[in-house]
Amino acid sequence: MKIGIRHRQGITILDPKGKITIGSGDIALRDSVIEALESGARKILINLKDVSTIDSSGIGELVAAFTTVTNRGGKLKLVGLPPKVSDILQITQLVTVFEVVDTEDEAVESF
Amino acid sequence: MKIGIRHRQGITILDPKGKITIGSGDIALRDSVIEALESGARKILINLKDVSTIDSSGIGELVAAFTTVTNRGGKLKLVGLPPKVSDILQITQLVTVFEVVDTEDEAVESF
Amino acid sequence: MSSRDQEVHLALESRFENVELVQLMLEESLVKAECDEDTRYWVGIAVREAVANAIKHGNRQDPDKRVEVTLAIVDQELVIGVTDEGEGFDPGEVPDPLAEENLLKPDGRGIFYMGKFMDGVEYDFQSTGGTKVTLRKRIVFQEAGEKQEETR
Amino acid sequence: MSSRDQEVHLALESRFENVELVQLMLEESLVKAECDEDTRYWVGIAVREAVANAIKHGNRQDPDKRVEVTLAIVDQELVIGVTDEGEGFDPGEVPDPLAEENLLKPDGRGIFYMGKFMDGVEYDFQSTGGTKVTLRKRIVFQEAGEKQEETR
Ligand SMILES: Nc1ncnc2c1ncn2[C@@H]1O[C@H](COP(=O)(O)OP(=O)(O)O)[C@@H](O)[C@H]1O
Ligand SMILES: Nc1ncnc2c1ncn2[C@@H]1O[C@H](COP(=O)(O)OP(=O)(O)O)[C@@H](O)[C@H]1O
């Protein structure tokens, strides 16, 4: 798994690609969220559009990222959910926890 | 495995695609050679350019095709050998048996 | 026995990369069985969870312990068995991941996903130690007509 | 034990489609071991021949008989074992496919290919019947530099 990092109007955007699954991708996601926080980012947007598969470990990392960012006074939002990733968040009732936005533009305005 | 059939200046050209391997492709190749012979073809060219893998069963089918076509007074030639298919014919010293030509044009002229 | 029936056994080392191997075999078997894409996807997630649990909680990533996977398609039912050499656990004690107080926990969703995506999830504990989980799913075969539907 | 070491066991029904499964696992394992593409290709052919022989000559496609495949990478050597439940044969009696009189025979090239593409091919016959063939190949790992070379 590769995670790209972009910056846009004060927002740090993470672009994970491929699988966020146990042993590959889950740790990478955690690391890049921590890195972003340490370099001072407080508005973090994860764009999931290129994520093909996410398992419970990957979901767990999203939840952990949410908690960490919130605890540090930041905000974490999700955008670009592929239908199956959206389904899997829905099933575990995490759509209520995460702030999920429809487009990057919307995210940029809403932070 | 799929085998296309074309006709060009009195020559029947077979275009197998994919794997000619045991249980898939080997029988298909045999069938299309027999079919070509039965519909009167005597100049048969097999273009192997889209064949990714050939195993000993596939090689066996090529040899059987060669024998059958020759026995019925026809000619069988091969063209478009990918490097690895060429290697595998070479290793079993079958390049001496088959007439292998470099291009379809050359084949058309040489029949 | 229908021509779609299949059975495959796998014995794997306790490493997370091997989740990919199982997924690969499963995908190949389900494609061969003409199972539709959505089912393949969700069953794939459930099987990932089962194998990941066997490696992580069962064998605790001990390279000397094996995970055994049996993959069978019999009479249109997919049956997957995943066995580890761990110490077992009490499935009745596993907390509900949908409970308010668990919603923000980073783990505890694997078995829940298995239950959601499969028709049946059954735990057996061997007398010699070790956990076996059996996942079941009726397979919807794609008919020629349905396939066309999809590509429309 | 290097991090490239791996071991996988497979038990398969005697159907030719399962040659593809073995090939798939092999490819996955060799890619993970960073084996170069040419080696992967030729080892793939050799393993196909071994599994095909086990299904065809060993188990005679009897669906109740299994083919067992062990795939291990240890100290940069790939070792593949293919075991069937057949009656065995005498490898010394297998005719040379390069002999003039055999050149136009449609079969008899499988074991020859195995020998060409692998470093070692060894037959063992179990006392209970059944043939085990062990294929060995030293693996050339691709280094980062070589990979760049390839994409140039
Ligand atoms: N194969 C297993 N062996 C031992 N314990 C297991 C096994 N599978 C699951 N468990 C136990 O059940 C709990 C819940 O598993 P699961 O729902 O998959 O969530 P998670 O793996 O994220 O903890 C695990 O934390 C573990 O204690
Ligand atoms: N696993 C096996 N069990 C029994 N006989 C075998 C086995 N493998 C090979 N043989 C015998 O060795 C012969 C040569 O095998 P091979 O070189 O692979 O060519 P082919 O399979 O085309 O005949 C076979 O025809 C068969 O008689």
Side-chain angles (χ1 to χ4, degrees), chain C:
Chain C
M1 181 162 141
S2 128
S3 74
R4 278 153 168 161
D5 287 358
Q6 303 173 36
E7 198 179 316
V8 171
H9 296 266
L10 263 168
L12 300 161
E13 291 167 308
S14 301
R15 318 190 196 195
F16 292 129
E17 303 108 89
N18 284 333
V19 175
E20 301 302 325
L21 271 191
V22 177
Q23 167 84 54
L24 210 67
M25 299 281 286
L26 176 70
E27 179 71 11
E28 173 86 7
S29 291
L30 290 181
V31 166
K32 210 157 63 186
E34 291 168 48
C35 170
D36 70 291
E37 199 180 319
D38 271 9
T39 306
R40 294 204 309 269
Y41 187 89
W42 296 119
V43 168
I45 299 281
V47 172
R48 282 183 165 276
E49 300 293 347
V51 177
N53 277 355
I55 295 171
K56 185 178 178 181
H57 303 299
N59 293 348
R60 297 173 197 230
Q61 299 185 65
D62 178 343
D64 291 335
K65 292 189 173 161
R66 295 281 173 275
V67 175
E68 307 243 351
V69 180
T70 303
L71 204 156
I73 299 176
V74 182
D75 292 337
Q76 313 211 359
E77 192 181 40
L78 173 72
V79 183
I80 295 156
V82 179
T83 308
D84 61 49
E85 304 180 50
E87 285 164 20
F89 70 109
D90 183 351
E93 295 284 294
V94 172
D96 175 10
L98 299 188
E100 187 86 40
E101 69 274 19
N102 297 328
L103 226 47
L104 284 179
K105 287 208 180 136
D107 41 34
R109 293 176 186 86
I111 298 174
F112 176 80
Y113 282 140
M114 293 182 220
K116 279 285 170 188
F117 302 141
M118 304 301 286
D119 298 333
V121 178
E122 205 184 286
Y123 277 95
D124 291 303
F125 300 94
Q126 332 279 110
S127 57
T128 54
T131 299
K132 177 174 184 183
V133 57
T134 306
L135 307 177
R136 291 168 192 281
K137 180 88 180 174
R138 291 223 75 77
I139 296 294
V140 183
F141 296 120
Q142 274 180 325
E143 301 305 328
E146 288 178 56
K147 267 189 211 159
Q148 281 173 357
E149 199 94 25
E150 275 196 352
T151 52
R152 228 181 252 161

Side-chain angles (χ1 to χ4, degrees), chain A:
Chain A
M1 228 254 308
K2 280 176 192 159
I3 301 184
I5 299 199
R6 289 178 290 144
H7 297 278
R8 194 176 148 189
Q9 294 165 267
I11 295 166
T12 302
I13 305 175
L14 304 181
D15 292 306
K17 272 193 205 324
K19 292 176 179 165
I20 311 184
T21 51
I22 196 161
S24 107
D26 53 350
I27 309 294
L29 183 66
R30 179 189 312 185
D31 290 348
S32 49
V33 169
I34 289 175
E35 219 176 285
L37 281 171
E38 286 183 349
S39 67
R42 287 298 174 269
K43 298 174 182 178
I44 300 178
L45 179 65
I46 306 183
N47 191 330
L48 296 166
K49 78 171 167 33
D50 293 323
V51 172
S52 57
T53 307
I54 191 161
D55 66 0
S56 69
S57 293
I59 294 291
E61 286 305 323
L62 285 181
V63 173
F66 174 82
T67 310
T68 313
V69 173
T70 308
N71 287 347
R72 303 231 196 152
K75 272 196 163 183
L76 180 89
K77 299 190 183 193
L78 306 180
V79 72
L81 277 62
K84 291 200 164 69
V85 174
S86 174
D87 286 351
I88 214 164
L89 280 179
Q90 202 103 38
I91 288 166
T92 8
Q93 297 181 6
L94 286 168
V95 260
T96 55
V97 170
F98 291 107
E99 203 168 324
V100 178
V101 290
D102 287 336
T103 64
E104 256 183 39
D105 286 340
E106 194 188 320
V108 169
E109 280 165 32
S110 72
F111 262 107

Side-chain angles (χ1 to χ4, degrees), chain D residues 31-103:
Chain D
V31 165
K32 211 157 62 185
E34 290 168 50
C35 169
D36 70 291
E37 199 181 320
D38 271 10
T39 306
R40 294 204 309 269
Y41 187 88
W42 296 119
V43 167
I45 299 281
V47 172
R48 283 183 165 273
E49 300 293 347
V51 177
N53 277 355
I55 295 171
K56 184 178 178 180
H57 303 300
N59 293 349
R60 296 172 198 231
Q61 299 184 63
D62 178 343
D64 291 335
K65 291 187 173 160
R66 294 282 175 274
V67 174
E68 306 243 353
V69 179
T70 303
L71 205 156
I73 299 176
V74 184
D75 292 338
Q76 312 211 359
E77 191 181 40
L78 172 72
V79 182
I80 295 155
V82 179
T83 308
D84 61 49
E85 304 181 49
E87 285 164 21
F89 70 108
D90 183 352
E93 296 283 294
V94 172
D96 175 10
L98 299 188
E100 187 85 41
E101 69 273 20
N102 296 329
L103 226 47

